[in-house]
Amino acid sequence: MTKLRVEVRKEFNDKPVERASVIVRFVEGRSALKLGKKIMTSYQLKTNQEGVAMIPPIPQGKIQIQIIAKGLQTFGQIFDVAEEEKTVEIKLKDPQPQHSVHQ
């Protein structure tokens, strides 16, 4: 099992992103069987004032992390976790300007 810490910051000024939605899904890998206990394979929480979200222990293997924050680009990536504790630092970019083919 891995204790996961996700840090979300703005790319252009390295400031923490508060109240960003963090969605973590267990994709595949080494699952720990617990008799009579259902293991959560998906979490959805918000970052704190320091831009940090702490995920309860999850099975080791591939996980997908998705970050949604108001006024910033959405982030999504798959990570392979094999450690007992892991910190993932994510930098969110400003949204790209909208381009239209219609004049």
Side-chain angles (χ1 to χ4, degrees):
M1 301 295 275
T2 298
K3 277 202 285 186
L4 190 64
R5 174 186 162 104
V6 179
E7 292 182 11
V8 183
R9 302 179 98 58
K10 294 179 186 172
E11 186 179 72
F12 68 98
N13 64 5
D14 206 40
K15 287 201 169 153
V17 179
E18 192 178 339
R19 300 200 43 76
S21 290
V22 178
I23 299 134
V24 176
R25 279 188 205 92
F26 182 66
V27 179
E28 66 175 45
R30 302 164 285 286
S31 179
L33 286 175
K34 300 235 173 144
L35 295 174
K37 254 190 168 178
K38 185 173 185 286
I39 297 173
M40 289 286 292
T41 56
S42 169
Y43 288 95
Q44 184 166 355
L45 32 114
K46 300 248 186 220
T47 56
N48 62 16
Q49 288 177 321
E50 288 84 47
V52 174
M54 300 294 285
I55 296 19
I58 57 170
Q60 293 181 348
K62 290 191 183 199
I63 57 164
Q64 179 186 34
I65 298 177
Q66 184 176 12
I67 312 288
I68 302 167
K70 194 172 185 173
L72 295 164
Q73 276 187 4
T74 297
F75 172 92
Q77 188 174 327
I78 292 179
F79 294 88
D80 201 353
V81 291
E83 305 92 343
E84 285 186 24
E85 290 189 24
K86 183 170 179 78
T87 297
V88 177
E89 292 182 21
I90 295 167
K91 307 263 188 191
L92 295 182
K93 299 178 179 182
D94 282 335
Q96 296 296 309
Q98 295 275 330
H99 296 289
S100 176
V101 293
H102 304 289
Q103 296 295 345

